[in-house]
Every structure is written in structure tokens, then in C-alpha cells.
Amino acid sequence: MATSSMIRQASRISAFRVSRGWSASAAASTIAGSSASRTHPTASTSTAPSSLLTFHRGLSTTTLKDSYDHVLVERRFSDDGHSQEEKCGVGLITLNRPKALNALCDGLFDDLIHAATVLDEDDAIGCLVVTGSQKAFAAGADIAEMSKREFSMAYKSNMFADWAKMANLKKPVIAAVNGFALGGGCELAMQCDMIVAGDKAKFGQPEINLGVIPGAGGTQRLIRAVGKSKAMDMVLTGKMIDAEQAERDGLVARIYPSDDLVEETIKMGFTIAEKGQIASMMAKEAVNAAAEMSLTEGLRFERRLFHALFATADQKEGMDAFLNKRKPDFRNS
């Protein structure tokens, strides 16, 4: 029999699961799909409030909102046969505060985390792409919003802690960066698993010019990407670097013409989404763990994940397909 303390504990857990609401959306927007892919609307099939949780097999999940205030969301599926049964899709999230150069206000990040979390749990989506506009991926945090805060508010709210949720998504995430990625924008891009840049992209951590320092990973992730001296240069002087230097320094994986960036990045996403999701997620986990572990510990962790994949149907399918010279049909199991 359940005791009163157990009931109270269960109530607290349930309340926690539904406690974080997401800002109300104002107007629905869509991004025009290319002829090479299908775009699926994000409208919910339920008339219930989108912040409510739905339950499936005992697990709680959220659904995409009909629209968001500060981001646009699409589920893309290839028309070339690679997205068989719609299980190899790409989730595209576009930051959408054009008048503010996509400055990262609290509302925008709430929208971004909500949409990204839903897509991360969507079995039909194998990769996420986060992008902005031609002019700015994100020009930084919202200074007007942030300037009003005092130490006590910043400390008690653990300001920017929620941003780390983007780095904790299970599926691969690609940042497609056009224009400015400065301050918080650069930090958001670095939270993704790789950065693909348009040829006019600019990266920087100019917080020193505002009398502060990077607060969402700029001093920690940048050094892991470009090394101490280059990170110190960017953080202490506030200088910007262009896409070519960012690629040379190891911050950026690929560069495309700015007009082609988003579609080329989505093609990369389709390539990743075609792989088995379990292997992709474990590969991401292993690579990210390398920054936190010694070489000996990292090699042991890698081996254990490798061994674990032999318990999956995808491992059997992938190796059988290779031996029989056919395309694998991964089932993500």
C-alpha cells in the first residue's frame, strides 16, 4: 500500500515533469522546402495545449507546437529513396528573430530547447540542423535583456545553465552558420556536434568588450577546438575570425557558399540519418567523452560501446549487407 510520503513524492515527480512551460506562440511560419526534399508541417494533431505531456509505453514525451515565437521548425525527408518509411529524416530548426540578428533571449532559447528535445525523441528523425539567417546565425545573447540583471538573480537562476541542454541531445546536431556567430551565438554553435559554415560567416567571443566574459561555454569549448593560444586571442581581444580561419583552426568542419549552406547541411544530415541511430548516438557519445576522460579510460569506454553494438539488430544488418554487397536497411534496433 502506498504511504502518504510515497504519494507526495510521486506528486512532486509528476509536477516536475510538467512544470516547465514554454512561451506561447504567435504566428505559424514555414520555410520553403527544396525540390530535393519533403517538408512536413509541425502542427499538432491534438487540440490540447502543446505544453501538456503525452504518455506512450510509460514514458513522457512532448510534441512540437503548432508554431513558436522565435524559431521555425521543419521535419525534412529526402525524395531520393534514402528516407525509407520516413525513418531517416532531418529536423531543421531556424532561429527567427531577424530584427535582433537572432539575439538569444530567454524566449528564443526556451523555444529552441523545446523543439530540439522533441525532435531528439522523434524516431523518424536521425539528425538535427540548427541555423539562422543569411546575416546572422546569432549575434550573441540579448544584451538589453541581460543588462538589467543583478548578481543575485544571475546566481540564483544559474543563468545559462539551461543552454547546456543543447549539448546533451542524444542525436547528432549540426550548426549551419551564416553571417555572425558572436558571443552566445558562437557558444551555441559549439554546443552542436559540428559546425558547417557559409563562406561569409564570422565567429567571435567579444564579451570582454562588455565588461564580462563568455558564460555559456566560450572559455571551455573554444580551447578544445582551437587550442589555448588562439582561444586566448579571441577571448581577450574580442577579435572575430572568418570561415576560412575557423576551418583551419579546427572550429569548422566544412565551408559552403552562403546561398547553398542550409541545403548542403541538410544533405549531410540525410547522410547521417541513413545510418543506424543507435550506432550514431554511441559514436557521438564516445567522441564527446574523449574530452572528459584519460586516453586509457576513453579507449575502454569506446570498446565497451563497440561491444554493446553487437547486441543490436543493426549490427547484424550492416555486416550482412556489406558481405552481400547491398545497401543496409537499418531499423534502429
Side-chain angles (χ1 to χ4, degrees):
M1 179 180 295
T3 66
S4 59
S5 63
M6 291 170 63
I7 293 171
R8 286 195 298 272
Q9 182 180 14
S11 298
R12 286 195 298 270
I13 293 172
S14 178
F16 173 77
R17 286 176 174 169
V18 298
S19 64
R20 182 167 182 104
W22 304 98
S23 58
S25 53
S29 300
T30 56
I31 302 170
S34 72
S35 60
S37 63
R38 301 194 303 282
T39 301
H40 283 216
T42 62
S44 171
T45 58
S46 171
T47 57
S50 58
S51 61
L52 293 180
L53 298 179
T54 58
F55 293 88
H56 178 63
R57 295 182 183 175
L59 300 176
S60 62
T61 59
T62 55
T63 57
L64 287 171
K65 296 180 181 181
D66 293 341
S67 63
Y68 293 82
D69 287 338
H70 303 300
V71 301
L72 307 176
V73 184
E74 295 180 53
R75 296 163 76 246
R76 291 280 195 99
F77 296 91
S78 173
D79 278 335
D80 60 6
H82 289 187
S83 295
Q84 300 172 14
E85 301 179 15
E86 295 188 352
K87 59 184 174 64
C88 304
V90 172
L92 175 64
I93 303 175
T94 304
L95 310 184
N96 189 38
R97 288 189 74 200
K99 292 182 180 179
L101 296 180
N102 293 330
L104 300 171
C105 64
D106 289 345
L108 187 153
F109 232 92
D110 281 351
D111 284 353
L112 173 62
I113 292 170
H114 184 273
T117 300
V118 174
L119 292 171
D120 196 45
E121 296 294 336
D122 188 339
D123 289 340
I125 299 299
C127 182
L128 280 67
V129 172
V130 179
T131 192
S133 67
Q134 284 271 0
K135 192 171 184 179
F137 174 75
D142 190 320
I143 304 304
E145 181 180 79
M146 191 165 53
S147 65
K148 302 171 185 176
R149 294 179 179 167
E150 301 290 342
F151 165 75
S152 59
M153 180 188 297
Y155 182 74
K156 288 191 294 183
S157 67
N158 201 7
M159 190 166 67
F160 295 156
D162 277 355
W163 289 28
K165 292 177 181 178
M166 286 300 296
N168 293 330
L169 298 173
K170 300 186 297 292
K171 293 173 182 173
V173 183
I174 308 173
V177 176
N178 259 327
F180 295 110
L182 304 178
C186 188
E187 289 169 312
L188 172 59
M190 290 190 291
Q191 288 178 15
C192 299
D193 297 306
M194 67 181 90
I195 301 173
V196 179
D199 54 6
K200 297 182 177 69
K202 302 283 187 181
F203 299 87
Q205 298 290 163
E207 290 89 345
I208 198 75
N209 297 324
L210 301 176
V212 293
I213 67 170
T219 65
Q220 302 303 302
R221 290 190 173 95
L222 189 60
I223 189 173
R224 287 166 166 80
V226 304
K228 179 182 176 181
S229 290
K230 291 181 183 296
M232 282 289 193
D233 188 9
M234 292 177 68
V235 170
L236 291 176
T237 69
K239 68 173 284 190
M240 290 189 293
I241 61 173
D242 61 21
E244 290 186 1
Q245 182 174 345
E247 184 185 32
R248 289 196 303 270
D249 292 348
L251 182 61
V252 164
R254 303 185 190 182
I255 299 175
Y256 291 108
S258 58
D259 290 340
D260 302 330
L261 173 68
V262 174
E263 293 305 323
E264 290 296 333
T265 306
I266 289 172
K267 289 178 185 177
M268 288 179 62
F270 283 142
T271 299
I272 294 170
E274 290 172 18
K275 319 302 181 188
Q277 286 184 15
I278 298 174
S280 292
M281 289 189 290
M282 284 193 178
K284 168 176 174 170
E285 187 177 3
V287 172
N288 285 337
E292 309 293 337
M293 296 180 174
S294 69
L295 179 59
T296 299
E297 292 168 334
L299 290 171
R300 184 182 299 113
F301 182 62
E302 178 189 72
R303 286 196 303 272
R304 293 297 178 257
L305 292 179
F306 176 76
H307 298 160
L309 285 165
F310 281 79
T312 67
D314 282 351
Q315 174 268 328
K316 305 297 187 292
E317 168 62 16
M319 293 190 177
D320 183 75
F322 176 82
L323 293 172
N324 288 284
K325 298 179 173 59
R326 61 176 176 83
K327 181 179 176 63
D329 182 17
F330 293 120
R331 294 292 173 173
N332 305 324
S333 62

